[in-house]
Amino acid sequence: MDAFFASVELIAHPEWRGKPLIVGSAPHERGVVSTCSYEARKYGVHSAMPSRTAYALCPHAIFTPPNGELYSKVSQKAFEIFERFSPYVEAVSIDEAFLDITGTIHLYGSAEALAQALRAEIKKECSVTCSVGIAPNRLLAKIGSEENKPDGLTIMPSDPDEITAFLRTKPVGILWGVGKKTQEQLKPYGLTLCGDIQRTSVERLTSVLSSRAAAEALKAYSMGISDDTVYWRKEPDKSVSNEHTFAEDEKSRETVRTKLIELTSKVGRRFRSEERWAATARLKIRNAAFETISRQASFQSPSRDDISFREKALELFDSIWPANENCRTGSSAIRLIGFGVTNICENPAGNFQLNLFDSPDEAKRKKRERLSEALDSLHERGLNLDFIRK
């Protein structure tokens, strides 16, 4: 969806339409912009920008704090609409999804007609617009969805030669995983367009990026070659996870650690939406060279509370990046941090029978779960309690 948070705010505040709107921290607070309207973007404002900078660029903008509960309600409605057009929906974020429409195109006559009908229903029922990219794989669909924002529809080429030609003049920053740091790394070598990458050998890219895996991935992306699978939920979750990609490669251990704690809380809230317990915790770290390291460990007993999730996550994190030591990922900068839980079971005893009377450990488990559930309830009422969870 287009400028989603800002668009949803306009539903509640129609008097703000046509004006620069910034959703995020107040202009004189130490915080950032979550998103902004297209009117604000004309002044150079963008997401993740410090609010003070946004105010300097656009002092007449309307600043409003995020309303997570309202955004979630509109998002839920939008995803219900997505599922009318395909049973295969992969949620990427609160306002973005991939749909596999292979089996439903015939109901509308063409992919374009299906997309037009979907966009119309989103606009009618959610009062927001969405931009759609139709393509043979996820990377190209993503690029297509950004091509004609806002409220746009782009049909991407499907022939390999046409795909290569389409991407040739596009900046390399449109490709997955190519942020500002990577762009700066490529720029001295004259690698600023996808066409530059297309003409460069994997060997030379490896010398530039110091990683053959990253070079091979970048080369493939520059030619539009990517995963064509839509990862939809067809069975009960085998795992629940959350990841964060830093806007800039992060070298501060404390910053990465703090983000990990936030992720454990998010995973916990999602996990407790159903009656289930997890036996295993997983940590994922990707460094600036696109190299990924994963660690996992079992809980002492199946768990579903934030305290257990956080303790195990930090235990795994410390094994990769010990306090007062360098990170053991082969790089001093971190691109991505992720946490998840798996080996899900339907009762806290796992495969063992529950005792009739609570043991001390059982009483401790129940107390932790009650605390987490109480915090979930407060969170649903719009209170930010991450500082309590920490």
Side-chain angles (χ1 to χ4, degrees), residues 19-36:
K19 301 176 181 179
L21 173 63
I22 296 172
V23 180
S25 299
H28 302 298
E29 293 179 356
R30 290 187 63 186
V32 298
V33 174
S34 293
T35 192
C36 60

Side-chain angles (χ1 to χ4, degrees), residues 24-160:
S25 299
H28 302 298
E29 293 179 356
R30 290 187 63 186
V32 298
V33 174
S34 293
T35 192
C36 60
S37 66
Y38 286 91
E39 290 82 2
R41 296 182 190 191
K42 293 177 182 178
Y43 292 87
V45 180
H46 57 77
S47 61
M49 170 183 284
S51 292
R52 292 175 180 177
T53 304
Y55 179 76
L57 292 171
C58 190
H60 59 291
I62 298 167
F63 284 77
T64 187
N67 185 339
E69 184 176 359
L70 179 60
Y71 307 153
S72 294
K73 287 180 179 178
V74 178
S75 174
Q76 182 177 355
K77 183 62 178 177
F79 275 82
E80 289 173 0
I81 294 172
F82 294 159
E83 291 175 356
R84 298 175 196 170
F85 291 84
S86 172
Y88 310 122
V89 178
E90 176 189 350
V92 178
S93 64
I94 192 172
D95 64 342
E96 186 175 9
F98 291 111
L99 280 68
D100 184 343
I101 59 172
T102 306
T104 52
I105 291 176
H106 69 281
L107 299 175
Y108 297 86
S110 69
E112 181 178 4
L114 184 152
Q116 294 286 25
L118 183 151
R119 291 169 62 241
E121 289 201 27
I122 292 290
K123 195 168 188 177
K124 177 182 177 182
E125 299 187 32
C126 299
S127 299
V128 299
T129 62
C130 70
S131 295
V132 175
I134 300 174
N137 63 46
R138 297 157 80 248
L139 170 65
L140 294 175
K142 170 66 174 175
I143 292 173
S145 71
E146 300 285 343
E147 188 73 8
N148 290 301
K149 278 184 172 289
D151 199 18
L153 170 59
T154 303
I155 301 177
M156 297 290 286
S158 56
D159 177 79

